[in-house]
Every structure is written in C-alpha cells, then in structure tokens.
Amino acid sequence: MGFAASDVVPFTQARANLSDLADQVKAGAEKIITKNGESYVALIDSDRLDYYHRLERERIHLLLIEDARRGLEDIAAGRTQDADAAIAKLQQRRAGARVSAKPAKKRG
C-alpha cells in the first residue's frame, strides 16, 4: 500500500487535528505521523491492527509447521542424535571456547 503526501502528517499538526485524523483513519486511511521530519508512529484503524496481528500469528504458526516438517524429514532420513549427547557436546564446545578466550599468563 502506498502513501499519499496527505497521509504523512507532522506531529504538531496531528495533535491539533487528532479527531479529524481519527475519522479519516476509521474511513480507511492510514496516517504516518512524523516528528522532526522523520517517521514516528502510524495511525491505523484498530480492526486493521488486529488483522495485522492475526496475520503475524498465522505466519509464526506456518513457520513452526515448516520446522516440524523438516524435523520429521530429518528423522525419516536418520539425521538424528540423542538430545542429552548433543547438549553435552555444545557445553564442551562452550567450555573450550571460554578457556581459549582467556589471555595466557605471563611468566616472569
């Protein structure tokens, strides 16, 4: 969705005309409110915001389903390992990284 110049409103103007802007938004417009010449906030209808949130939740669910599908493919292909062993291996790697990151002591 594109924005027209009339959809970009300076903060001071928005404050002075909030009721007017709210009516425009309720009628379907979306407004970008700027502060110091930069985008600051958006003014959108609450039903549309709810719709955007539902879309985001659906997207997250689809990503989870895709992750599960890939996991099942890994199981079917035998690309699995014991969780406890994998965690122990990661912990060993982390411990090794911490030891190697310490500066060597000077002998003197």
Side-chain angles (χ1 to χ4, degrees):
M1 174 180 180
F3 288 96
S6 62
D7 294 329
V8 180
V9 182
F11 189 83
T12 53
Q13 183 182 342
R15 188 180 344 191
N17 300 310
L18 184 58
S19 181
D20 225 17
L21 291 173
D23 290 340
Q24 292 174 34
V25 166
K26 201 63 183 161
E30 292 182 352
K31 301 293 182 177
I32 299 295
I33 298 173
T34 61
K35 191 171 186 180
N36 299 324
E38 307 235 347
S39 293
Y40 187 60
V41 295
L43 188 60
I44 65 170
D45 181 70
S46 61
D47 290 336
R48 188 172 292 180
L49 179 62
D50 184 52
Y51 172 72
Y52 291 160
H53 286 194
R54 283 194 316 264
L55 284 177
E56 181 61 18
R57 282 192 300 274
E58 284 182 33
R59 182 181 154 282
I60 290 168
H61 291 148
L62 290 173
L63 290 172
L64 289 171
I65 290 169
E66 178 61 20
D67 285 346
R69 185 191 62 74
R70 281 191 307 234
L72 291 171
E73 284 178 0
D74 286 343
I75 291 169
R79 296 184 300 260
T80 61
Q81 57 181 297
D82 179 68
D84 291 332
I87 290 170
K89 191 175 180 180
L90 287 171
Q91 288 171 336
Q92 286 174 344
R93 261 195 257 161
R94 282 188 189 152
R98 279 192 294 255
V99 168
S100 64
K102 289 183 181 178
K105 290 184 180 179
K106 291 185 179 180
R107 295 184 185 178

